[in-house]
Amino acid sequence: MKYLKINTENTADHEALKNAILQLKGVSSAEIIDDENPESELKKAFAKTKEQLKKGDYETLVNDIFDILTKNNAK
């Protein structure tokens, strides 16, 4: 899976942009992530590692969360 990161201005209509991107062929999902809100990144990390948790790979989950927390503290 590949990801596309789009940086927007504060005045952008994020929902309209998300809806437009979802109309493109080959796009399965779109998510709005606020860099100022670490909760969004934590949710993404938990969703990403859901399968690893089912398989018992707890190290991946811990590493992802640790990376997010240390990245935000470095700001």
Side-chain angles (χ1 to χ4, degrees):
M1 182 179 300
K2 296 194 182 217
Y3 297 93
L4 172 66
K5 181 175 181 178
I6 299 173
N7 294 315
T8 61
E9 297 177 355
N10 290 338
T11 58
D13 185 347
H14 298 112
E15 284 300 319
L17 180 60
K18 178 180 172 180
N19 290 334
I21 290 171
L22 286 170
Q23 299 302 314
L24 296 172
K25 182 179 179 182
V27 175
S28 59
S29 67
E31 179 182 357
I32 299 170
I33 299 173
D34 185 356
D35 283 341
E36 300 298 319
N37 184 1
E39 180 182 331
S40 295
E41 289 191 44
L42 283 172
K43 284 182 183 179
K44 186 176 179 181
F46 279 115
K48 175 181 152 189
T49 58
K50 191 173 186 179
E51 283 301 312
Q52 281 100 358
L53 281 173
K54 288 179 182 177
K55 295 176 184 175
D57 185 6
Y58 301 105
E59 186 176 347
T60 303
L61 173 65
V62 172
N63 288 339
D64 285 348
I65 294 172
F66 183 76
D67 288 345
I68 290 168
L69 293 175
T70 56
K71 180 179 83 172
N72 287 332
N73 286 337
K75 288 183 179 178

